[in-house]
Amino acid sequence: MFLPRRALRHALFAAALSALLPFAGASAWAQEGPQLNLPRTKLGAGMYQIDVQVASSGLERQIGLMNRKEMPQQEGMLFVFEVPAVQCFWMKNTLLPLTAAFVADDGTIVNLADMKPQTTDSHCSSQPVRYVLEMNQGWFAKKGFKAGLKLRGAPFEGR
């Protein structure tokens, strides 16, 4: 079968596009609602217990707390990376004001950053970390927690 060049280009473009469409829904930007079904674990902070969702895959971390309209005070999200590195976060499509705790392998909070909703301002760890814990903004301050506090829980055991 013979196709003119222009028709062939259109056919190839359509085939390539249709091959990519199944992956279009995997984009964080296409995420319509909050991700609520991630695995959970408990962390300890001083005398408090935190119920956290664990975002460990690239897509889970990319979506994070986007599109969430509320989050209970004792809940948060723990982002887990494969290796320690300087981690930077922003709040595009995130509706809640949050505080990010950048956490070393042993559970020690390296630094805290308050983040405004729906901004692209970058908030980074002051040194390489593997974990970032996001909580409602003000949660750490209300409890008097600062850099140096050591979190407890399964992710930090044996490190």
Side-chain angles (χ1 to χ4, degrees):
M1 177 176 157
F2 173 77
L3 289 174
R5 281 189 186 180
R6 184 175 179 159
L8 181 60
R9 278 196 309 260
H10 287 291
L12 289 173
F13 178 74
L17 186 60
S18 66
L20 292 174
L21 282 178
F23 301 105
S27 168
W29 310 120
Q31 179 78 14
E32 290 187 23
Q35 58 182 352
L36 299 171
N37 296 318
L38 295 178
R40 291 183 175 266
T41 192
K42 302 279 186 195
L43 300 179
M47 63 184 243
Y48 300 95
Q49 188 174 55
I50 307 168
D51 181 25
V52 297
Q53 288 184 290
V54 180
S56 56
S57 76
L59 184 58
E60 291 168 349
R61 291 188 304 257
Q62 190 178 22
I63 295 169
L65 290 168
M66 282 183 182
N67 302 311
R68 181 145 335 161
K69 293 179 181 163
E70 60 186 15
M71 182 169 65
Q73 285 301 305
Q74 293 303 111
E75 288 190 16
M77 183 170 285
L78 182 67
F79 296 81
V80 181
F81 295 87
E82 290 78 18
V83 295
V86 171
Q87 306 296 343
C88 293
F89 279 60
W90 63 340
M91 299 283 286
K92 185 172 177 78
N93 298 327
T94 304
L95 308 174
L96 302 171
L98 300 170
T99 299
F102 297 96
V103 184
D105 281 359
D106 69 353
T108 302
I109 295 177
V110 171
N111 64 296
L112 296 163
D114 286 340
M115 304 184 295
K116 291 181 184 176
Q118 300 184 332
T119 64
T120 56
D121 299 340
S122 188
H123 306 277
C124 301
S125 60
S126 60
Q127 65 187 51
V129 297
R130 185 187 317 259
Y131 304 100
V132 180
L133 173 61
E134 286 184 344
M135 298 288 291
N136 284 302
Q137 192 172 99
W139 189 87
F140 293 100
K142 287 176 191 167
K143 306 214 174 348
F145 295 155
K146 298 180 175 155
L149 172 76
K150 195 164 184 179
L151 300 173
R152 300 177 314 279
F156 315 117
E157 292 172 3
R159 294 198 178 262

